[in-house]
Amino acid sequence: MAQRLRVRYAKRGRLRFTSHRDISRAVERAVRRAGIPVAFSAGFTPHPKISYAGAAPTGVASEAEYLEIGVTAPCEPERIRADLDASLPPGLDILDVVAAHAGSLADRLEASAWEMRLPGADPGLATAAVEKFLAAGHVEVERLTKKGIRRFDARGPVLVLRTADPVMGGSSEGTGGTAGQAAGHSCVILHMVVRHANPAVRPDDVLTALRRVADFAPPAPPEVTRLAQGPLDERTGEPADPLGLDRDVSRGGEAGPVGHVVGDL
């Protein structure tokens, strides 16, 4: 394997309902159509060396999904970005490609930033529920998993949770909005930053926790978009770019800790 390419892609619109397995199949077909010299594993059933990190749940839109492709010959990242994007269906959009350098991509994905739109929700009730949630030291929720019901704390991993100014009418089309939202109806927007944990605390777990602590339940299904995921920036409290270290090293910087580069850029 001559090179590893790290790819950021978006999952938008109706494609948010596509399962991770179907997305991986679409990516494999697109890699073949784009003529990318992908490397294959050894053995009786070789598989293309494409790995995924931190995939968003089915039904959730995302602007920050990541995968890594092993190739047998050096490739120009920008050309790969354009060719792969042209080979994928609209809604699976390739945003960035860099040549991998130091470290593991999965290890850099420490936290995610989410936007949760709640059509028809009452802004005052939402604000009160957020305040109660943040004041709680522990909020236990349940989720049905393949191994049965699992109970875990949904409060601890939540680093940021706040309401944005409510909007009127419209929908988040392009990032998974619900078509047909009535004009003139409020839409509460929650912004959250969640540290990655085991089990992962998802936006729907936070919504369950808000119902538990404050009996807050929006009248319509939420519209959820992952805005970013990456190493946690202690200065901003938000996820930083996980591809930044690879990009800066390729420009002549010297690799240091994740998110930091020394040298001339």
Side-chain angles (χ1 to χ4, degrees):
M1 188 168 64
Q3 188 183 41
R4 288 177 298 136
L5 299 172
R6 289 172 175 167
V7 179
R8 177 189 173 196
Y9 67 97
K11 183 174 65 165
R12 297 168 170 158
R14 293 183 179 180
L15 269 294
R16 71 192 188 277
F17 296 114
T18 305
S19 71
H20 177 65
R21 178 174 295 182
D22 287 338
I23 287 176
S24 64
R25 288 172 178 167
V27 169
E28 289 181 15
R29 289 194 296 267
V31 165
R32 290 196 298 270
R33 282 196 293 266
I36 297 171
V38 62
F40 281 81
S41 62
F44 292 104
T45 55
H47 297 285
K49 289 191 174 182
I50 304 174
S51 59
Y52 298 80
T58 302
V60 171
S62 178
E63 294 295 309
E65 300 297 285
Y66 293 92
L67 61 86
E68 189 170 280
I69 304 174
V71 293
T72 57
C75 299
E76 172 55 43
E78 177 54 30
R79 181 174 179 178
I80 294 298
R81 187 207 63 77
D83 291 348
L84 190 56
D85 185 60
S87 300
L88 284 166
L92 285 180
D93 303 316
I94 304 299
L95 305 180
D96 199 4
V97 178
V98 301
H101 289 280
S104 162
L105 176 58
D107 289 344
R108 299 180 191 178
L109 305 182
E110 298 175 344
S112 289
W114 302 89
E115 178 186 272
M116 184 155 53
R117 299 170 63 94
L118 308 176
D122 182 276
L125 295 179
T127 299
V130 167
E131 291 173 351
K132 289 184 178 180
F133 175 84
L134 294 176
H138 182 95
V139 183
E140 190 173 82
V141 299
E142 296 180 348
R143 185 198 300 156
L144 179 62
T145 69
K146 294 179 180 179
K147 296 182 179 180
I149 296 294
R150 185 164 186 179
R151 295 180 176 85
F152 55 93
D153 175 32
R155 172 64 186 92
V158 178
L159 307 176
V160 174
L161 180 61
R162 63 174 181 267
T163 57
D165 293 335
V167 298
M168 301 300 292
S171 70
S172 53
E173 185 177 355
T175 57
T178 300
Q181 182 177 314
H185 289 187
S186 67
C187 177
V188 171
I189 299 175
L190 298 181
H191 177 80
M192 64 187 77
V193 177
V194 183
R195 186 186 297 276
H196 295 175
N198 186 21
V201 173
R202 302 172 178 173
D204 56 325
D205 297 320
V206 175
L207 200 58
T208 299
L210 293 177
R211 182 167 63 247
R212 179 152 297 184
V213 300
D215 198 26
F216 172 73
E223 304 164 6
V224 181
T225 301
R226 172 148 59 191
L227 304 177
Q229 63 171 326
L232 191 63
D233 189 328
E234 295 180 358
R235 296 169 299 173
T236 65
E238 298 281 335
D241 178 12
L243 304 183
L245 181 57
D246 300 302
R247 188 179 295 106
D248 288 335
V249 169
S250 68
R251 292 172 181 171
E254 178 184 344
V258 172
H260 299 276
V261 174
V262 294
D264 295 330
L265 302 181

